[in-house]
């Protein structure tokens, strides 16, 4: 069951095109219209009033519960005071203009301008409560504010907002400079788990840069004879953003081997390709908010679908609001009735329950199976269920018990096929 062909062979129309690229672009626009958390950055506002910007920054609240550092020490008020001061609230002007930028490498988006991790349980190192998500490399972002220590930018990406390290963002002259670079028909898409640029002994800022599944990378139009004294043969010549000594956007050439798991243009959107992409991540480490160089349940879905050109919301509850062919699992349905709904659901469809996102892969022996990036399941010991950690991408039966003892399928709320 860990072999993708086992499931693809069960799909009659596995290689049929579900939607062409133009239709996917139209679908993305419907996502923007329907989902409040997804933005078209090209039409974003040019500035904010003092109160408007303050309300965005204040969306993140300090916990009133006792919290802990990685070493188990209790987080005290002086740390929270430092964070509050670094928000640089006094630096918010009456009118605050928006700057455009590009991420030069993948970067964490944090609740607050600090990379110090904070946990809700002593001894826990899995769930850093200040870690929101990851912004991939080569993403357009809007810089809305700067921290007091100038090490952090408060940014808006297409589906998330928060604090990112300023050294990971190159500031553009204007909107046009960003989208003239990104709006190209000549690009490669990372279809593997991770790929890296070739080592560059002359420019460390474009040397061995890691790009993750779903990242789109523009190709260089003005082809050089070599890059960093290396022949370009056997490589894609890519055009990469970098920062000058003032943090402004400049471009440099880099190389990615043609043998890496990348492709020119988006992958064709077929059910076989969706499963192929998902199964490439089997065994990959779970990471809350994309920590540990991994992904969590909803970003696993988001990045798989990004290889086809989809721009999905970040979190599971927001993804569940997306347009498409939707099947609901009403409360009160029996187990057999829930299984019967899968007669109407195609492999590659997304399955949601409160706090979790999964992908349907097919039916085996009358049981629906899913692939998901999940933390664990429940095993009955005596009269209660104990939590068994997994923390990876894996294929499981939908009948697998959750930590509460209820099968996963018993908590499903909806299934969505991204189709017009």
């Amino acid at each position: 069951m860990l072999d993708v062909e086992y499931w693809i062979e069960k799909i009659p129309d596995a290689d049929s095109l579900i939607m062409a690229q133009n239709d996917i672009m139209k679908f993305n626009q419907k996502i923007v219209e329907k989902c409040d958390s997804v933005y078209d950055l090209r039409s974003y506002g040019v500035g904010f009033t003092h109160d408007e910007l303050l309300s965005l920054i204040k969306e993140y609240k300090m916990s009133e519960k006792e919290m802990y550092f990685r070493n188990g020490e209790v987080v005290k008020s002086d740390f929270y005071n430092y964070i509050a001061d670094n928000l640089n609230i006094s630096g918010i002007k009456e009118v605050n203009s928006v700057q455009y930028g590009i991420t030069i490498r993948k970067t964490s988006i944090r609740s607050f301008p600090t990379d110090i991790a904070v946990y809700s349980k002593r001894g826990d190192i899995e769930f850093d409560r200040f870690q929101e998500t990851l912004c991939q490399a080569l993403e357009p972002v809007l810089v809305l504010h700067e921290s007091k220590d100038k090490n952090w930018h408060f940014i808006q990406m297409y589906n998330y907002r928060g604090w990112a390290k300023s050294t990971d963002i190159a500031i553009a002259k204007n909107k046009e400079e960003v989208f003239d670079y990104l709006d190209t028909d000549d690009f490669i898409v990372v279809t593997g788990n991770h790929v890296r640029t070739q080592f560059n002994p002359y420019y460390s800022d474009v040397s061995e840069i890691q790009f993750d599944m779903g990242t789109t990378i523009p190709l260089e139009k003005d082809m050089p004879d070599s890059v960093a004294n290396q022949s370009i043969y056997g490589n894609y010549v890519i055009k990469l953003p970098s920062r000058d000594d003032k943090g402004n956007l400049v471009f440099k050439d880099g190389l990615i081997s043609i043998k890496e798991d990348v492709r020119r243009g988006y992958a064709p959107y077929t059910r076989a390709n969706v499963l192929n992409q998902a199964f490439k991540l089997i065994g990959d480490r779970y990471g809350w908010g994309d920590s540990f160089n991994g992904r969590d349940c909803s970003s696993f879905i988001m990045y798989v679908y990004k290889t086809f050109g989809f721009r999905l919301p970040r979190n599971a509850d927001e993804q569940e609001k997306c347009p498409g062919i939707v099947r609901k699992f009403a409360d009160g349905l029996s187990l057999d009735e829930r299984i019967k709904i899968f007669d109407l659901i195609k492999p590659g469809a997304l399955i949601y329950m409160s706090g979790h996102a999964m992908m349907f892969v097919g039916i085996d022996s009358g049981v629906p199976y899913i692939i998901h990036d999940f933390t664990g399941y429940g095993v009955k010991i005596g009269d209660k269920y104990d939590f068994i950690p997994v923390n990876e991408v894996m294929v499981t039966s939908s009948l697998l018990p959750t930590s509460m003892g209820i099968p996963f399928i018993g908590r499903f709320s909806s299934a969505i096929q991204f189709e017009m």
Side-chain angles (χ1 to χ4, degrees):
M1 289 187 178
L2 302 186
D3 182 353
V4 69
E5 291 300 327
Y6 179 82
W7 299 103
I8 291 175
E9 288 173 359
K10 296 172 179 280
I11 307 172
D13 59 347
D15 295 315
S16 298
L17 194 66
I18 302 170
M19 282 199 290
Q21 196 52 227
N22 285 343
D23 293 327
I24 292 175
M25 295 302 104
K26 293 175 184 176
F27 192 87
N28 286 340
Q29 187 55 44
K30 288 187 176 184
I31 292 175
V32 171
E33 294 166 0
K34 190 171 182 181
C35 302
D36 293 340
S37 63
V38 181
Y39 295 87
D40 178 0
L41 296 186
R42 292 168 180 80
S43 58
Y44 203 84
V46 296
F48 292 93
T49 67
H50 177 280
D51 290 348
E52 287 171 339
L53 181 54
L54 180 62
S55 68
L56 297 181
I57 294 171
K58 291 289 189 178
E59 285 177 345
Y60 293 111
K61 310 291 185 185
M62 297 289 186
S63 175
E64 296 180 356
K65 299 179 181 178
E66 189 165 81
M67 305 292 282
Y68 306 90
F69 293 120
R70 186 183 178 95
N71 63 5
E73 291 183 6
V74 175
V75 179
K76 297 184 178 177
S77 59
D78 58 347
F79 176 75
Y80 291 128
N81 292 337
Y82 155 72
I83 295 298
D85 184 56
N86 205 29
L87 293 174
N88 194 23
I89 300 303
S90 62
I92 301 177
K93 303 172 185 177
E94 286 305 312
V95 178
N96 303 270
S97 59
V98 169
Q99 290 181 294
Y100 279 79
I102 301 176
T103 50
I104 63 173
R105 62 182 69 88
K106 68 178 183 178
T107 185
S108 289
I109 294 184
R110 310 278 290 167
S111 317
F112 304 103
T114 178
D115 53 11
I116 297 174
V118 170
Y119 305 93
S120 56
K121 296 180 181 178
R122 180 179 274 122
D124 171 33
I125 63 168
E126 296 281 351
F127 298 94
D128 174 3
R129 296 304 175 179
F130 284 1
Q131 177 68 18
E132 292 292 329
T133 186
L134 190 83
C135 180
Q136 288 189 325
L138 314 191
E139 280 288 339
V141 297
L142 307 182
V143 176
L144 311 183
H145 187 53
E146 187 177 53
S147 63
K148 188 173 183 179
D149 63 11
K150 300 187 182 302
N151 292 330
W152 298 84
H153 288 319
F154 188 69
I155 67 166
Q156 174 73 63
M157 60 179 291
Y158 79 94
N159 66 358
Y160 222 90
R161 191 165 46 235
W163 293 92
K165 288 185 177 179
S166 55
T167 50
D168 292 339
I169 299 167
I171 303 298
K173 298 185 187 75
N174 49 43
K175 181 196 314 188
E176 289 70 31
E177 187 177 25
V178 170
F179 291 109
D180 285 350
Y181 164 65
L182 294 173
D183 290 343
T184 175
D185 293 328
D186 203 10
F187 59 90
I188 56 174
V189 177
V190 178
T191 45
N193 191 350
H194 310 289
V195 305
R196 289 182 181 273
T197 59
Q198 300 283 19
F199 186 87
N200 188 319
Y202 296 92
Y203 296 109
S204 60
D205 51 347
V206 292
S207 176
E208 295 191 307
I209 300 297
Q210 178 177 300
F211 299 115
D212 301 333
M213 181 179 285
T215 306
T216 58
I217 310 171
L219 294 168
E220 179 59 82
K221 294 177 181 177
D222 301 320
M223 294 291 286
D225 295 326
S226 64
V227 174
N229 255 356
Q230 180 179 345
S231 166
I232 67 172
Y233 295 103
N235 288 279
Y236 291 104
V237 182
I238 54 177
K239 185 176 181 179
L240 296 175
S242 186
R243 288 162 48 96
D244 66 13
D245 56 3
K246 294 182 179 179
N248 296 319
L249 177 63
V250 293
F251 294 100
K252 296 178 180 178
D253 289 339
L255 298 174
I256 287 183
S257 170
I258 60 173
K259 294 300 184 181
E260 291 279 13
D261 193 348
V262 299
R263 57 163 288 125
R264 207 156 188 158
Y266 291 116
Y269 182 38
T270 67
R271 303 192 201 287
N273 283 343
V274 172
L275 294 194
N276 266 315
Q277 288 302 117
F279 274 66
K280 288 178 182 180
L281 301 180
I282 280 183
D284 204 45
R285 219 292 180 185
Y286 177 92
W288 167 263
D290 295 353
S291 54
F292 306 147
N293 201 27
R295 304 167 184 85
D296 57 28
C297 65
S298 53
S299 64
F300 163 70
I301 298 297
M302 180 177 65
Y303 294 134
V304 165
Y305 270 84
K306 204 176 176 192
T307 60
F308 308 104
F310 287 92
R311 306 284 277 181
L312 300 183
R314 171 58 179 86
N315 293 329
D317 59 339
E318 296 160 347
Q319 289 179 8
E320 195 172 8
K321 299 173 186 175
C322 282
I325 299 174
V326 180
R327 310 291 180 188
K328 294 289 187 181
F329 294 83
D331 292 340
L333 290 178
S334 68
L335 192 61
D336 287 342
E337 288 171 329
R338 286 176 170 266
I339 291 173
K340 185 67 177 174
I341 292 175
F342 281 90
D343 291 345
L344 305 173
I345 300 171
K346 299 287 185 71
L350 306 184
I351 312 296
Y352 293 96
M353 67 188 207
S354 179
H356 193 46
M358 302 144 280
M359 181 185 295
F360 174 54
V361 298
I363 301 286
D364 192 82
S365 299
V367 176
Y369 276 75
I370 53 178
I371 183 170
H372 52 147
D373 200 344
F374 72 121
T375 56
Y377 62 98
V379 168
K380 192 171 186 180
I381 299 178
D383 59 354
K384 67 175 185 176
Y385 279 81
D386 281 1
F387 177 75
I388 306 298
V390 174
N391 289 315
E392 68 177 12
V393 177
M394 188 48 60
V395 175
T396 73
S397 164
S398 62
L399 302 182
L400 184 73
T402 63
S403 59
M404 296 184 294
I406 302 170
F408 272 84
I409 193 173
R411 297 185 60 201
F412 289 174
S413 54
S414 66
I416 305 177
Q417 291 168 206
F418 292 148
E419 301 180 35
M420 300 283 278

